[in-house]
Structure formats: structure tokens, C-alpha cells
Amino acid sequence: MKICIACGMPMKAKEDFAMGDESKDYCKYCARPDGTMQNYAEKLEGMTEFIVKTQGLDQEAARNAARGMMEKLPAWQN
């Protein structure tokens, strides 16, 4: 089982991978419609909105939480 390098989601099934391509290191939620991986700003925005919806945090707290999670993921090192 692979872990998405951009969001940390476990990718167990083919459908979890970007474009269903198991050679990709990122998931369907981190892919743009053309199959390329979202950039940092796009992913930060998406993760922030996900945290607001699922955890009920306000926008600023959710953005800080998203930054904290993302800084530990391989895609966002450097």
C-alpha cells in the first residue's frame, strides 16, 4: 500500500490513485483534471477546506493545521 506524497492518504485500491494509475505517488484528490499533481497553494487550499468541513475549525485554524500536516509530507519538503 502506498501513501499519497501530497496529503498522506493511504492508497489501497486502483481508484485511489490519480487517474487510476498505480505508478503515481499521489492520490485522486491531489490530482488536477489532467492528472498532474496540484501545486502547494492548490493543495493547501483544498486541505484547508477539507478541515473546515470535517473538523469545524475556522479558516485560519484550519489553514495552520493544513500547513502543519503538509510540512511533514514528502511532496512539500525543501
XYZ file of all heavy atoms in Angstrom:
605
model
N 0.835 -1.184 0.000
C 0.000 0.000 0.000
C 0.881 1.249 0.000
O 1.834 1.344 0.741
C -0.901 0.020 1.233
C -1.723 1.272 1.327
S -2.781 1.349 2.796
C -1.603 1.549 4.088
N 0.543 2.163 -0.870
C 1.261 3.434 -0.946
C 0.518 4.491 -0.137
O -0.690 4.393 0.068
C 1.340 3.927 -2.393
C 2.402 3.279 -3.237
C 2.396 3.967 -4.607
C 3.619 3.622 -5.402
N 3.605 4.285 -6.723
N 1.256 5.516 0.251
C 0.685 6.685 0.920
C 0.891 7.874 -0.024
O 1.991 8.070 -0.545
C 1.415 6.958 2.258
C 1.353 5.745 3.194
C 0.875 8.217 2.931
C -0.011 5.447 3.761
N -0.131 8.664 -0.207
C -0.030 9.842 -1.083
C 1.047 10.783 -0.540
O 1.033 11.138 0.640
C -1.377 10.557 -1.152
S -1.325 12.079 -2.106
N 1.948 11.180 -1.432
C 3.045 12.053 -1.010
C 2.582 13.482 -0.737
O 3.286 14.255 -0.103
C 4.184 12.087 -2.051
C 3.703 12.672 -3.381
C 4.810 10.713 -2.213
C 4.804 12.977 -4.362
N 1.394 13.830 -1.209
C 0.919 15.209 -1.079
C -0.066 15.435 0.059
O -0.155 16.537 0.593
C 0.292 15.664 -2.391
N -0.825 14.365 0.446
C -1.812 14.552 1.520
C -1.736 13.477 2.603
O -2.364 13.620 3.637
C -3.227 14.646 0.958
S -3.900 13.066 0.377
N -1.016 12.408 2.344
C -0.866 11.346 3.339
C -1.968 10.303 3.326
O -1.979 9.406 4.158
N -2.887 10.391 2.369
C -3.980 9.412 2.308
C -3.443 8.046 1.888
O -2.690 7.948 0.928
C -5.032 9.871 1.291
C -6.209 8.911 1.174
S -7.403 9.407 -0.072
C -7.068 8.185 -1.331
N -3.854 6.983 2.604
C -3.486 5.635 2.149
C -4.171 5.345 0.810
O -5.344 5.646 0.633
C -4.031 4.717 3.239
C -4.317 5.603 4.408
C -4.589 6.961 3.862
N -3.428 4.777 -0.118
C -3.993 4.436 -1.431
C -3.984 2.911 -1.532
O -2.953 2.305 -1.787
C -3.187 5.095 -2.541
C -3.188 6.615 -2.436
S -2.359 7.466 -3.788
C -0.647 6.970 -3.561
N -5.154 2.321 -1.316
C -5.270 0.862 -1.280
C -5.760 0.293 -2.601
O -5.344 -0.763 -3.026
C -6.237 0.462 -0.165
C -5.788 0.888 1.212
C -6.859 0.562 2.250
C -6.451 1.118 3.605
N -7.549 1.063 4.579
N -6.714 0.984 -3.216
C -7.324 0.490 -4.451
C -6.865 1.337 -5.634
O -6.470 2.492 -5.473
C -8.845 0.557 -4.334
N -6.944 0.751 -6.822
C -6.549 1.456 -8.039
C -7.286 2.792 -8.166
O -6.711 3.783 -8.601
C -6.844 0.563 -9.248
C -6.434 1.146 -10.557
C -6.670 0.176 -11.703
C -6.209 0.847 -12.992
N -6.263 -0.050 -14.126
N -8.533 2.816 -7.744
C -9.337 4.031 -7.854
C -8.839 5.158 -6.958
O -9.207 6.314 -7.149
C -10.805 3.747 -7.490
C -11.460 2.657 -8.277
C -11.110 1.260 -7.762
O -11.246 0.987 -6.570
O -10.650 0.445 -8.581
N -8.025 4.836 -5.971
C -7.489 5.856 -5.063
C -6.376 6.677 -5.713
O -6.080 7.785 -5.284
C -6.935 5.221 -3.786
C -7.995 4.522 -2.951
O -9.182 4.905 -3.042
O -7.628 3.600 -2.202
N -5.745 6.117 -6.737
C -4.603 6.771 -7.381
C -5.067 7.796 -8.414
O -6.146 7.650 -9.000
C -3.732 5.722 -8.083
C -3.012 4.809 -7.142
C -3.668 3.730 -6.554
C -1.681 5.028 -6.821
C -3.005 2.885 -5.676
C -1.008 4.190 -5.945
C -1.670 3.115 -5.368
N -4.250 8.797 -8.638
C -4.555 9.804 -9.657
C -4.749 9.111 -10.993
O -3.906 8.303 -11.407
C -3.408 10.805 -9.746
N -5.863 9.364 -11.644
C -6.210 8.789 -12.931
C -6.242 7.251 -12.896
O -6.130 6.605 -13.928
C -5.239 9.255 -14.025
C -5.000 10.757 -14.080
S -6.433 11.717 -14.591
C -6.398 11.459 -16.346
N -6.338 6.659 -11.707
C -6.334 5.205 -11.579
C -5.001 4.572 -11.932
O -4.904 3.366 -12.135
N -3.956 5.378 -11.970
C -2.606 4.930 -12.358
C -1.797 4.617 -11.092
O -1.350 5.521 -10.390
C -1.932 6.039 -13.174
C -0.537 5.657 -13.636
O -0.002 4.612 -13.199
O 0.025 6.430 -14.430
N -1.614 3.342 -10.838
C -0.934 2.912 -9.619
C 0.560 3.243 -9.598
O 1.198 3.080 -8.560
C -1.156 1.415 -9.400
C -2.616 1.095 -9.129
C -2.903 -0.391 -9.024
O -2.755 -1.092 -10.038
O -3.248 -0.828 -7.913
N 1.089 3.738 -10.697
C 2.501 4.159 -10.699
C 2.648 5.576 -10.121
O 3.756 6.007 -9.807
C 3.093 4.112 -12.112
O 2.527 5.126 -12.924
N 1.543 6.289 -9.988
C 1.574 7.650 -9.430
C 1.796 7.589 -7.926
O 1.373 6.646 -7.261
C 0.256 8.386 -9.691
C -0.121 8.505 -11.142
C 0.470 9.718 -11.751
C -0.123 9.936 -13.140
N 0.712 10.717 -13.999
N 2.450 8.593 -7.400
C 2.719 8.668 -5.962
C 1.715 9.558 -5.234
O 1.885 9.825 -4.053
C 4.132 9.206 -5.722
C 5.196 8.239 -6.194
O 4.991 7.019 -6.072
O 6.234 8.706 -6.693
N 0.715 10.027 -5.948
C -0.282 10.893 -5.327
C -1.685 10.392 -5.657
O -1.895 9.659 -6.612
C -0.098 12.360 -5.721
C 0.021 12.600 -7.202
C -1.085 12.953 -7.944
C 1.243 12.476 -7.840
C -0.985 13.190 -9.294
C 1.358 12.695 -9.199
C 0.250 13.047 -9.929
O 0.342 13.256 -11.275
N -2.637 10.811 -4.825
C -3.999 10.274 -4.924
C -4.884 11.100 -5.862
O -4.495 12.167 -6.328
C -4.622 10.217 -3.530
S -5.072 11.826 -2.862
N -6.095 10.599 -6.033
C -7.059 11.269 -6.907
C -7.450 12.641 -6.378
O -7.823 13.509 -7.151
C -8.304 10.404 -7.093
C -9.058 10.107 -5.806
C -10.212 9.165 -6.072
C -10.950 8.827 -4.790
N -12.032 7.852 -5.036
N -7.338 12.856 -5.085
C -7.715 14.148 -4.508
C -6.606 15.194 -4.667
O -6.847 16.376 -4.472
C -8.063 13.992 -3.024
C -9.210 13.045 -2.809
C -9.007 11.810 -2.217
C -10.494 13.386 -3.231
C -10.060 10.922 -2.039
C -11.550 12.499 -3.062
C -11.328 11.272 -2.463
O -12.375 10.400 -2.302
N -5.415 14.758 -4.998
C -4.279 15.670 -5.169
C -3.944 15.886 -6.636
O -2.955 16.545 -6.953
C -3.063 15.141 -4.420
S -3.333 15.122 -2.633
N -4.769 15.321 -7.506
C -4.541 15.454 -8.944
C -5.460 16.509 -9.543
O -6.599 16.666 -9.122
C -4.781 14.117 -9.634
N -4.942 17.197 -10.526
C -5.771 18.107 -11.321
C -6.545 17.266 -12.336
O -6.207 16.093 -12.560
C -4.871 19.099 -12.061
C -4.105 20.019 -11.152
C -3.231 20.943 -11.994
N -2.468 21.839 -11.171
C -1.155 22.026 -11.282
N -0.453 21.383 -12.190
N -0.544 22.878 -10.492
N -7.520 17.849 -13.009
C -8.275 17.079 -14.008
C -7.403 16.446 -15.098
O -7.743 15.393 -15.639
C -9.240 18.115 -14.613
C -9.436 19.099 -13.496
C -8.097 19.187 -12.796
N -6.239 17.058 -15.392
C -5.365 16.479 -16.421
C -4.432 15.401 -15.859
O -3.607 14.848 -16.588
C -4.566 17.570 -17.132
C -3.521 18.228 -16.237
O -3.425 17.902 -15.030
O -2.780 19.087 -16.760
N -4.533 15.120 -14.572
C -3.730 14.059 -13.963
C -2.446 14.523 -13.311
O -1.792 13.745 -12.622
N -2.039 15.765 -13.528
C -0.837 16.276 -12.866
C -1.152 16.593 -11.406
O -2.311 16.811 -11.047
C -0.293 17.539 -13.564
O -1.317 18.546 -13.553
C 0.126 17.226 -15.001
N -0.107 16.618 -10.619
C -0.301 16.873 -9.187
C -0.518 18.370 -8.926
O 0.130 19.218 -9.535
C 0.927 16.397 -8.396
C 0.669 16.355 -6.894
S 2.045 15.644 -5.980
C 3.000 17.114 -5.674
N -1.421 18.660 -8.022
C -1.665 20.050 -7.625
C -0.389 20.648 -7.028
O 0.415 19.929 -6.438
C -2.768 20.115 -6.575
C -4.107 19.661 -7.072
C -5.153 19.642 -5.958
O -4.842 19.740 -4.789
N -6.403 19.506 -6.358
N -0.246 21.956 -7.138
C 0.896 22.616 -6.511
C 0.584 22.890 -5.032
O -0.522 22.620 -4.556
C 1.288 23.900 -7.263
C 0.214 24.966 -7.199
O -0.546 25.057 -6.231
N 0.141 25.786 -8.233
N 1.555 23.436 -4.335
C 1.412 23.648 -2.893
C 0.190 24.513 -2.565
O -0.595 24.179 -1.678
C 2.685 24.280 -2.323
C 2.623 24.485 -0.832
C 2.975 23.456 0.040
C 2.197 25.693 -0.288
C 2.903 23.623 1.419
C 2.119 25.873 1.094
C 2.475 24.841 1.937
O 2.398 25.013 3.298
N 0.031 25.604 -3.268
C -1.075 26.528 -2.971
C -2.434 25.858 -3.196
O -3.360 26.029 -2.392
C -0.959 27.787 -3.827
N -2.552 25.116 -4.267
C -3.808 24.415 -4.552
C -4.109 23.378 -3.465
O -5.244 23.248 -3.009
C -3.726 23.700 -5.913
C -3.685 24.639 -7.093
C -3.309 23.936 -8.379
O -2.463 22.993 -8.358
O -3.848 24.328 -9.423
N -3.085 22.641 -3.073
C -3.289 21.588 -2.062
C -3.595 22.206 -0.705
O -4.453 21.710 0.021
C -2.057 20.685 -1.988
C -2.302 19.414 -1.238
C -3.315 18.553 -1.968
C -4.371 18.069 -1.012
N -5.513 17.493 -1.693
N -2.901 23.290 -0.374
C -3.160 23.960 0.900
C -4.607 24.432 0.963
O -5.287 24.251 1.976
C -2.191 25.130 1.102
C -2.388 25.932 2.387
C -2.198 25.056 3.630
C -1.438 27.121 2.421
N -5.090 24.998 -0.102
C -6.476 25.469 -0.140
C -7.448 24.295 0.008
O -8.409 24.363 0.785
C -6.747 26.214 -1.455
C -8.127 26.819 -1.533
C -8.375 27.890 -0.472
O -7.410 28.556 -0.049
O -9.535 28.039 -0.057
N -7.198 23.221 -0.708
C -8.071 22.050 -0.635
C -8.076 21.418 0.752
O -9.131 21.062 1.281
N -6.900 21.279 1.336
C -6.823 20.684 2.670
C -7.478 21.588 3.706
O -8.132 21.115 4.634
C -5.367 20.387 3.048
C -4.811 19.173 2.324
S -3.165 18.700 2.859
C -3.557 17.795 4.360
N -7.310 22.891 3.547
C -7.938 23.837 4.472
C -9.455 23.687 4.432
O -10.106 23.581 5.474
C -7.530 25.281 4.121
O -6.110 25.396 4.249
C -8.220 26.287 5.019
N -10.013 23.645 3.242
C -11.472 23.495 3.113
C -11.936 22.150 3.677
O -12.993 22.074 4.321
C -11.894 23.639 1.648
C -11.687 25.035 1.099
C -12.338 26.125 1.939
O -13.502 25.942 2.363
O -11.687 27.151 2.201
N -11.147 21.104 3.456
C -11.495 19.777 3.992
C -11.537 19.820 5.520
O -12.466 19.297 6.137
C -10.475 18.745 3.501
C -10.724 17.361 4.016
C -11.731 16.568 3.488
C -9.945 16.845 5.050
C -11.965 15.288 3.976
C -10.171 15.566 5.543
C -11.187 14.783 5.002
N -10.562 20.465 6.119
C -10.503 20.545 7.584
C -11.658 21.394 8.129
O -12.263 21.044 9.138
C -9.126 21.082 8.035
C -8.041 20.041 7.721
C -9.127 21.421 9.518
C -6.616 20.547 7.856
N -11.976 22.477 7.457
C -13.118 23.304 7.881
C -14.390 22.452 7.886
O -15.152 22.461 8.855
C -13.283 24.536 6.960
C -14.637 25.202 7.176
C -12.156 25.534 7.181
N -14.607 21.699 6.808
C -15.821 20.877 6.689
C -15.859 19.738 7.689
O -16.898 19.446 8.266
C -15.904 20.267 5.279
C -16.418 21.166 4.238
C -16.590 20.379 2.954
C -16.771 21.302 1.778
N -16.747 20.569 0.509
N -14.739 19.049 7.854
C -14.754 17.824 8.657
C -14.497 18.049 10.134
O -14.911 17.245 10.964
C -13.728 16.806 8.133
O -12.412 17.383 8.191
C -14.060 16.379 6.713
N -13.792 19.141 10.476
C -13.441 19.347 11.875
C -14.058 20.607 12.459
O -13.905 20.883 13.650
C -11.914 19.376 12.033
C -11.286 18.040 11.618
C -9.791 18.014 11.788
O -9.229 18.717 12.609
N -9.138 17.203 10.989
N -14.689 21.395 11.615
C -15.384 22.570 12.095
C -14.489 23.704 12.578
O -14.953 24.592 13.298
N -13.222 23.670 12.184
C -12.318 24.758 12.582
C -12.601 25.986 11.735
O -13.119 25.883 10.629
C -10.860 24.328 12.385
C -10.363 23.151 13.215
C -8.914 22.844 12.860
C -10.508 23.415 14.698
N -12.220 27.167 12.257
C -12.348 28.350 11.413
C -11.241 28.330 10.364
O -10.303 27.538 10.440
C -12.346 29.641 12.238
C -11.031 29.916 12.936
O -9.959 29.682 12.341
O -11.063 30.369 14.097
N -11.353 29.203 9.391
C -10.454 29.205 8.235
C -8.979 29.311 8.637
O -8.140 28.565 8.126
C -10.851 30.368 7.311
C -10.259 30.300 5.944
C -10.961 29.289 5.043
O -12.065 28.843 5.332
N -10.325 28.916 3.962
N -8.661 30.221 9.537
C -7.263 30.432 9.922
C -6.705 29.212 10.663
O -5.588 28.760 10.380
C -7.138 31.673 10.795
C -5.694 31.995 11.145
C -5.577 33.262 11.987
O -6.502 34.086 11.954
O -4.553 33.406 12.654
N -7.470 28.676 11.587
C -7.011 27.492 12.331
C -6.855 26.304 11.388
O -5.899 25.532 11.502
C -7.990 27.167 13.452
N -7.801 26.164 10.458
C -7.723 25.063 9.502
C -6.499 25.218 8.600
O -5.809 24.244 8.304
C -9.001 25.005 8.665
N -6.205 26.444 8.168
C -5.035 26.674 7.311
C -3.751 26.332 8.076
O -2.848 25.711 7.530
C -5.009 28.124 6.824
C -3.876 28.419 5.849
C -4.023 29.798 5.237
N -5.231 29.936 4.456
C -5.342 29.616 3.169
N -4.315 29.153 2.518
N -6.479 29.779 2.532
N -3.683 26.722 9.320
C -2.499 26.399 10.126
C -2.359 24.887 10.310
O -1.248 24.346 10.243
C -2.563 27.102 11.481
C -2.305 28.580 11.367
O -1.646 29.043 10.432
N -2.844 29.353 12.300
N -3.474 24.205 10.539
C -3.438 22.747 10.683
C -2.980 22.095 9.375
O -2.163 21.173 9.385
C -4.810 22.224 11.096
N -3.508 22.597 8.261
C -3.127 22.047 6.949
C -1.630 22.260 6.700
O -0.939 21.348 6.237
C -3.957 22.694 5.845
N -1.133 23.442 7.009
C 0.310 23.703 6.836
C 1.132 22.724 7.667
O 2.133 22.206 7.198
C 0.650 25.129 7.266
C 0.402 26.146 6.224
C 1.069 27.477 6.598
N 0.599 28.512 5.715
C -0.197 29.513 6.077
N -0.574 29.661 7.325
N -0.582 30.404 5.193
N 0.705 22.516 8.900
C 1.423 21.602 9.783
C 1.463 20.181 9.240
O 2.488 19.503 9.335
N 0.337 19.741 8.675
C 0.297 18.388 8.098
C 1.157 18.315 6.847
O 1.904 17.357 6.648
C -1.144 18.008 7.748
C -2.002 17.695 8.944
S -3.608 17.069 8.431
C -4.608 18.499 8.787
N 1.043 19.330 6.007
C 1.741 19.295 4.727
C 3.249 19.360 4.884
O 3.973 18.760 4.091
C 1.234 20.426 3.820
C -0.180 20.174 3.328
S -0.863 21.555 2.386
C 0.139 21.506 0.900
N 3.740 20.061 5.885
C 5.190 20.192 6.024
C 5.871 18.862 6.351
O 7.079 18.745 6.201
C 5.562 21.267 7.043
C 5.273 20.917 8.476
C 5.529 22.089 9.427
O 5.565 23.261 8.992
O 5.683 21.813 10.613
N 5.084 17.877 6.755
C 5.642 16.555 7.065
C 5.601 15.603 5.875
O 6.127 14.504 5.954
C 4.867 15.942 8.232
C 4.989 16.741 9.500
C 4.091 16.198 10.576
C 4.154 17.122 11.789
N 2.962 17.081 12.586
N 4.958 16.003 4.788
C 4.770 15.112 3.645
C 5.869 15.295 2.603
O 6.334 16.415 2.369
C 3.401 15.373 3.023
C 2.233 15.010 3.954
C 0.934 15.597 3.438
C 2.128 13.496 4.092
N 6.291 14.188 1.968
C 7.421 14.240 1.032
C 7.272 15.248 -0.108
O 8.260 15.849 -0.538
C 7.484 12.818 0.476
C 6.752 11.971 1.433
C 5.750 12.844 2.126
N 6.066 15.437 -0.599
C 5.882 16.336 -1.750
C 6.250 17.778 -1.432
O 6.560 18.555 -2.337
C 4.441 16.281 -2.245
N 6.212 18.141 -0.173
C 6.387 19.547 0.200
C 7.672 19.795 0.971
O 7.821 20.829 1.615
C 5.164 20.022 0.985
C 3.892 19.546 0.373
C 2.973 18.716 0.917
C 3.407 19.838 -0.944
N 1.947 18.464 0.034
C 2.195 19.145 -1.112
C 3.890 20.612 -2.004
C 1.462 19.207 -2.303
C 3.143 20.666 -3.169
C 1.961 19.977 -3.303
N 8.597 18.869 0.911
C 9.900 19.076 1.553
C 10.705 20.054 0.715
O 10.506 20.152 -0.472
C 10.655 17.746 1.670
C 9.900 16.689 2.461
C 9.675 17.089 3.919
O 10.601 17.474 4.594
N 8.442 16.995 4.375
N 11.607 20.747 1.284
C 12.505 21.749 0.667
C 11.990 23.130 0.911
O 11.104 23.652 0.505
C 12.750 21.557 -0.835
C 13.440 20.264 -1.129
O 14.145 19.748 -0.270
N 13.247 19.751 -2.305
